[in-house]
């Protein structure tokens, strides 16, 4: 799933390639991707793109005196830029193509979604706060006013485990499964530790890991073409998706805990005092 760093990089890429250009066609291929119906997609056509913004994992394409095109790529969605779009309208079918946006230059982008779970979402709205997912977002962890005190306030009273708290978009915007693993590894904390149990020193350590991990990922992604962002993300991960490999910090074997529809990876030596985490249904919280 694209998370804050990749969506930030897509925002920068689209700012360079879209702003100042006119949208001439918006072609839906998978009707299920559309989550709003008024204004219609056609309201975007003939309008100049004035800005591209990011809200958590949402992308917001703004048009002059017109609606916003807001997108959430979900788990299996992606944006593919084309300097020259194919001639003729795309054919509806069973392929991954969900939506095509064409510019006056002949360039544009496709939104695609792999797999059978169709969660890619597109909204046409007069303002981004009309999108329910945007309206309930927590603070952006890379915002200038997101300091250590703010993190402590968010975690105070949180009876959930750190892994779940970090992934909650209404608590902190933009962090998903992969970067929550990376942040907790950098902070040397168990994913099962209770969020509200952190000491002042631990909160400071988690804050530094949160900011540093995301900032470094954004810097790695900056300037990378949209089509190469997935590979760039994977290459920079130290624990997520690396079950069975040696930890790059201590050399211990990276382990995994599986859930119904996801999994987490961690290093026992770095994060849990050398103790492997049991199956989530049987585990006791490790502090």
């Amino acid at each position: 799933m694209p998370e804050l760093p990749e969506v930030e990089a897509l925002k920068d890429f689209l700012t360079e390639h879209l702003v100042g250009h006119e949208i001439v066609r918006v072609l839906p291929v998978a009707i299920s991707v559309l989550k709003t119906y008024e204004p219609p997609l056609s309201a975007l056509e003939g309008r100049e793109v004035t800005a591209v913004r990011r809200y958590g994992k949402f992308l917001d394409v703004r048009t002059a005196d017109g609606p916003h095109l807001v997108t959430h790529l979900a788990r299996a969605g992606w944006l593919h830029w084309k300097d020259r779009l194919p001639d003729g309208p795309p054919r509806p079918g069973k392929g991954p193509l969900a939506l095509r946006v064409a510019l006056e230059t002949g360039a544009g982008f496709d939104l695609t979604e792999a797999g059978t779970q169709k969660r890619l979402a597109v909204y046409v709205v007069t303002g981004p706060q009309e999108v329910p997912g945007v309206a309930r977002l927590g603070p952006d962890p890379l915002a200038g006013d997101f300091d250590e005190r703010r993190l402590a306030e968010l975690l105070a009273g949180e009876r959930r485990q750190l892994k779940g708290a970090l992934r909650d978009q209404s608590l902190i915007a933009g962090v998903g499964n992969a970067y929550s693993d990376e942040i907790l590894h950098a902070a040397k904390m168990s994913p099962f530790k209770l969020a509200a149990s952190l000491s002042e020193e631990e909160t400071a350590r988690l804050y530094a890991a949160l900011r540093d991990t995301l900032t470094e990922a954004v810097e790695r992604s900056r300037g990378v073409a949209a089509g190469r962002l997935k590979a760039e993300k994977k290459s920079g991960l130290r624990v997520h998706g690396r079950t069975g490999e040696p930890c790059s910090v201590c050399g211990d074997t990276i382990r995994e805990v599986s859930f119904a529809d996801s999994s987490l990876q961690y290093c026992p030596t770095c994060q849990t005092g050398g103790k492997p985490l049991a199956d989530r249904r049987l585990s006791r919280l490790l502090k």
Side-chain angles (χ1 to χ4, degrees):
M1 177 184 289
E3 300 179 37
L4 185 156
E6 294 77 50
V7 179
E8 180 72 10
L10 285 174
K11 181 210 74 174
D12 291 344
F13 180 88
L14 291 179
T15 297
E16 180 182 351
H17 290 77
L18 287 183
V19 171
H21 292 288
E22 178 187 338
I23 296 174
V24 294
R25 293 293 301 277
V26 184
L27 302 167
V29 179
I31 299 300
S32 62
V33 76
L34 297 176
K35 307 305 179 186
T36 57
Y37 303 97
E38 184 62 37
L41 278 174
S42 58
L44 295 161
E45 297 176 351
R47 297 188 184 275
E48 178 185 329
V49 176
T50 57
V52 182
R53 297 286 185 266
R54 177 186 61 79
Y55 299 94
K57 302 177 191 176
F58 289 84
L59 274 173
D60 171 25
V61 177
R62 305 182 179 192
T63 62
D65 300 320
H68 298 233
L69 177 66
V70 179
T71 303
H72 191 288
L73 295 172
R75 174 171 293 183
W78 198 246
L79 184 148
H80 302 269
W81 178 263
K82 298 181 184 296
D83 290 328
R84 184 71 190 182
L85 289 169
D87 294 329
R91 295 181 180 180
K94 297 183 179 180
L97 182 59
L99 187 86
R100 174 167 291 168
V101 175
L103 304 179
E104 89 287 358
T105 60
F109 64 86
D110 288 340
L111 295 179
T112 65
E113 185 171 25
T116 59
Q117 295 185 350
K118 301 302 182 182
R119 298 177 181 175
L120 176 68
V122 172
Y123 309 81
V124 181
V125 290
T126 56
Q129 293 301 317
E130 294 177 16
V131 177
V134 173
R136 61 173 173 260
L137 285 175
D140 192 293
L142 293 186
D145 59 354
F146 188 88
D147 55 15
E148 189 178 315
R149 177 181 296 182
R150 182 71 173 121
L151 177 62
E153 291 171 350
L154 292 171
L155 297 181
E158 270 291 337
R159 302 304 299 173
R160 288 178 294 176
Q161 298 165 348
L162 278 174
K163 173 71 175 180
L166 288 174
R167 293 184 63 187
D168 183 351
Q169 299 304 293
S170 65
L171 191 72
I172 299 172
V175 178
N177 196 31
Y179 287 109
S180 58
D181 283 351
E182 297 299 301
I183 290 163
L184 290 170
H185 178 253
K188 299 186 181 299
M189 292 182 184
S190 167
F192 287 177
K193 186 176 180 64
L194 286 180
S197 70
L198 268 61
S199 66
E200 185 174 334
E201 184 276 330
E202 287 172 327
T203 300
R205 185 152 34 102
L206 181 63
Y207 175 78
L210 173 66
R211 295 277 289 204
D212 291 349
T213 299
L214 294 178
T215 299
E216 289 169 8
V218 168
E219 289 303 316
R220 286 197 310 270
S221 300
R222 183 160 284 135
V224 176
R228 302 203 310 272
L229 280 172
K230 286 184 180 180
E232 175 58 38
K233 175 181 180 178
K234 185 175 181 180
S235 70
L237 299 177
R238 294 185 175 185
V239 289
H240 185 80
R242 299 194 179 279
T243 304
E245 298 180 20
C247 172
S248 61
V249 175
C250 72
D252 193 2
T253 301
I254 294 170
R255 295 178 181 255
E256 176 178 304
V257 176
S258 296
F259 305 93
D261 61 350
S262 66
S263 63
L264 66 83
Q265 286 79 43
Y266 69 100
C267 170
T269 295
C270 290
Q271 297 175 252
T272 61
K275 301 176 182 178
L277 298 176
D279 181 270
R280 183 174 181 269
R281 293 167 295 180
L282 304 176
S283 293
R284 300 181 67 182
L285 298 177
L286 296 182
K287 296 183 179 180

